[in-house]
């Protein structure tokens, strides 16, 4: 599969074998599930660590991070209780589902950006992760607007999360940058 051809941080650390990639995919689904369960209950959107995990998975694992995010959402829709408030096909009609499909689109963007843009540039990493966060919030707020209106979507779906999201973006940028630098140094020897 050509989607697995980009050299990511994860591949530099763990290798490029077929089984390693699928183990990393499963690990990504597990990390996303755990990050969803560590939640601070807000209405209508709980505060979780999912966006941080999505940023780190996609920026460090490339397409494996995207496939992990996609598998996580599909398994949750299929009925596994992976999401912050459970799972199942009915979750598609929940007010918070837009944030989940926003994470899929954001991870796809970050996976391609990690292959094309990063090159150890903190500006490129910052730009890519900020755009990924915007993608998540655009999808999430658009979906939430259909349930509670635009003004309430901003009030309940963005403002309470603004500062924590800035912190998660900063952490993701720094961790990605450090991982890129460290793995680059290892591959030189």
């Amino acid at each position: 599969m050509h989607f697995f051809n980009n050299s990511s941080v994860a591949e530099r650390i763990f290798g490029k074998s077929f089984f390693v990639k699928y183990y990393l995919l499963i690990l990504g689904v597990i990390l996303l599930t755990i990050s969803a369960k560590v939640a601070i209950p807000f209405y209508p959107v709980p505060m979780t660590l999912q966006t941080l995990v999505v940023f780190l998975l996609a920026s460090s694992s490339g397409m494996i991070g995207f496939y992990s995010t996609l598998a996580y959402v599909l398994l949750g829709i299929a009925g596994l209780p992976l999401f912050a408030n459970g799972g199942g096909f009915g979750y598609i009609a929940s007010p918070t589902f837009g944030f989940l499909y926003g994470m899929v689109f954001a991870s796809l963007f970050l996976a391609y950006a990690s292959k094309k843009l990063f090159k150890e540039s903190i500006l490129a990493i910052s730009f890519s992760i900020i755009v990924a966060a915007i993608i998540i919030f655009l999808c999430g707020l658009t979906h939430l607007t259909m349930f509670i209106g635009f003004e309430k979507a901003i009030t309940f779906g963005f403002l309470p999360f603004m500062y924590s999201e800035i912190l998660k973006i900063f952490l993701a940028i720094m961790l990605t940058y450090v991982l890129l630098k460290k793995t680059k140094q290892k591959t030189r020897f």
Side-chain angles (χ1 to χ4, degrees), residues 5-64:
N5 288 337
N6 64 330
S7 180
S8 64
V9 171
E11 289 173 343
R12 289 184 213 153
I13 295 171
F14 299 109
K16 295 183 178 190
S17 83
F18 175 82
F19 292 107
V20 166
K21 291 177 184 181
Y22 285 97
Y23 289 132
L24 289 173
L25 185 141
I26 292 166
L27 178 62
V29 172
I30 292 168
L31 288 173
L32 281 164
T33 303
I34 292 169
S35 68
K37 300 302 180 184
V38 178
I40 299 170
F42 278 105
Y43 174 81
V45 182
M47 184 184 301
T48 67
L49 295 175
Q50 284 177 300
T51 54
L52 175 63
V53 172
V54 167
F55 299 151
L56 290 174
L57 281 175
S59 62
S60 66
S61 301
M63 289 306 290
I64 296 170

Side-chain angles (χ1 to χ4, degrees), residues 84-95:
N85 294 322
F89 192 73
Y91 216 86
I92 293 172
S94 78

